[in-house]
Amino acid sequence: MTQADDILSVAAAWRAAGEKVALATVTQTWGSSPRPAGSQLAVTVSGRMAGSVSGGCIEGAVAEAAMKTIETGVPQLLDFGITDERAWEVGLACGGKLKVFVEALA
Amino acid sequence: MTPATLAALAAARAAKRPVVLATSLPDGAQMLLPDPAAPADLAEAAARALDRDESGTVRLGNGEWFLHTFNPRLRLIVVGAVHIAQALVPMAALMGLDVVLVDPRRSFATTERFPNVTIMTDWPDEAMDALAPDSRSAVITLTHDPKLDDPALDRALRSPAFHIGALGSRRTHGRRLERLRELGHDEATLARIKGPVGLDIAAVTAPEIAVSILAELVAVRRHAGTRAAKEAA
């Protein structure tokens, strides 16, 4: 949990400095997902990034979704896994499944 | 996340208060627990998440919630700046525990023997009163000396510490329990002390004993027995 802590503080600091920030959090995992629930990734419109929600396989897709959430203000619950066509596209090679919640820091 | 929620979460963490950020899925409505206004099932699930020190998604009567636990770091109070402590303290720090070392014998409790750790040279009862162990604290006594171990154990038993361990043979431990009984502790309370401390891995050297002590701490913290039983069922 220490890592999740750090990311939240980083995201809060970015927000306080006037950045537009989204926070992605692993909410559920199945199989061999590399990061446990609670792992977080913070991204900004200006392109800053901290933390991770996987071994690096899905960060790009999550960051893309985060931009949309920042723009619309609407949170998203993303599904990644071997049963999901998206997973092949973004390459979750480990064979795990996970859900990621993406929200904007208002 | 609203600025109010973010501020409340930051304040709780700064004050080392264990909290759970509950997020309703997928709409994102959030609540910081414990909160007297929370529904009973959500409050119960949050308390369980904190106890297990785990984040995860739960399905409740009113929908799906992601429970993100924010527990303060675990604290380990080690009484006795002895040889075993020299192995135990850095290993515990590596595990992310906040370690405090207590020993009034200044020749033992030196920064040369114990670099990078908080050392208290007060008598163990005074040190324990100042440290006020909470439910995120473990207390391990290593001195074998009743003058030092007993007051620390007495205070630990009067605290909600999640784990209490005392080094010493079964015979030593039996005599120790006798003395603590005389201080007014009943059998159920005395059973909280793991003595001899540590999992039985036939440890011999100081680092091996430290591993056995920390392995037991992890097993207690992660509810190892209950989990294995649950998985077998």
Side-chain angles (χ1 to χ4, degrees):
Chain A
M1 64 164 274
T2 45
Q3 208 150 3
D5 282 0
D6 295 343
I7 300 315
L8 191 63
S9 304
V10 168
W14 285 347
R15 182 70 197 91
E19 295 256 27
K20 288 179 177 171
V21 187
L23 196 60
T25 309
V26 177
T27 61
Q28 213 167 355
T29 66
W30 297 261
S32 58
S33 305
R35 303 294 315 277
S39 303
Q40 294 188 310
L41 171 73
V43 291
T44 69
V45 170
S46 65
R48 294 165 105 170
M49 212 185 256
S52 85
V53 289
S54 73
C57 343
I58 60 167
E59 267 70 9
V62 171
E64 205 175 294
M67 290 307 120
K68 197 174 155 213
T69 283
I70 290 174
E71 198 184 303
T72 62
V74 181
Q76 300 174 66
L77 186 59
L78 309 174
D79 259 298
F80 295 97
I82 45 169
T83 57
D84 183 341
E85 274 175 36
R86 254 185 94 89
W88 293 110
E89 282 170 40
V90 299
L92 198 61
C94 42
K97 265 173 68 176
L98 74 161
K99 286 191 181 189
V100 178
F101 180 70
V102 181
E103 65 191 310
L105 287 194
Chain B
M1 196 183 302
T2 65
T5 304
L6 188 60
L9 181 55
R13 289 173 58 206
K16 299 194 172 181
R17 259 188 303 120
V19 289
V20 171
L21 177 64
T23 304
S24 169
L25 299 176
D27 62 278
Q30 286 174 325
M31 181 171 215
L32 199 63
L33 295 117
D35 180 338
D41 57 350
L42 183 60
E44 200 178 298
R48 204 163 45 234
L50 282 175
D51 182 48
R52 290 203 167 281
D53 209 2
E54 265 175 12
S55 300
T57 299
V58 293
R59 182 168 286 284
L60 300 172
N62 61 345
E64 208 169 50
W65 291 84
F66 173 60
L67 304 180
H68 198 167
T69 59
F70 292 90
N71 263 320
R73 281 157 69 106
L74 293 174
R75 186 165 53 149
L76 175 63
I77 300 167
V78 178
V79 179
V82 296
H83 186 48
I84 288 169
Q86 283 181 281
L88 181 65
V89 167
M91 284 185 196
L94 205 56
M95 283 174 43
L97 299 167
D98 274 338
V99 186
V100 181
L101 181 64
V102 177
D103 200 322
R105 301 168 297 182
R106 284 165 197 272
S107 52
F108 285 75
T110 64
T111 49
E112 193 188 2
R113 280 160 57 82
F114 295 94
N116 309 317
V117 63
T118 307
I119 297 175
M120 292 179 81
T121 51
D122 309 82
W123 276 88
D125 47 354
E126 284 162 15
M128 291 288 282
D129 286 344
L131 291 167
D134 58 11
S135 61
R136 301 277 300 163
S137 304
V139 180
I140 304 285
T141 64
L142 299 176
T143 73
H144 290 101
D145 183 342
K147 276 202 313 297
L148 298 171
D149 283 354
D150 287 8
L153 291 169
D154 173 55
R155 293 303 198 277
L157 289 173
R158 296 176 200 278
S159 81
F162 75 89
H163 177 55
I164 304 170
L167 189 73
S169 68
R170 273 173 215 290
R171 219 156 50 103
T172 306
H173 190 58
R175 287 199 295 265
R176 178 185 290 139
L177 293 181
E178 258 329 298
R179 294 190 304 272
L180 289 169
R181 232 172 252 129
E182 279 165 25
L183 291 176
H185 296 290
D186 61 23
E187 294 311 309
T189 306
L190 290 174
R192 288 176 62 202
I193 306 178
K194 299 282 192 299
V197 69
L199 291 188
D200 185 3
I201 55 170
V204 174
T205 66
E208 287 173 0
I209 293 166
V211 165
S212 114
I213 289 171
L214 289 174
E216 184 176 53
L217 189 150
V218 171
V220 168
R221 185 59 209 146
R222 301 290 185 200
H223 307 272
T226 42
R227 186 163 304 188
K230 213 166 129 191
E231 276 164 13

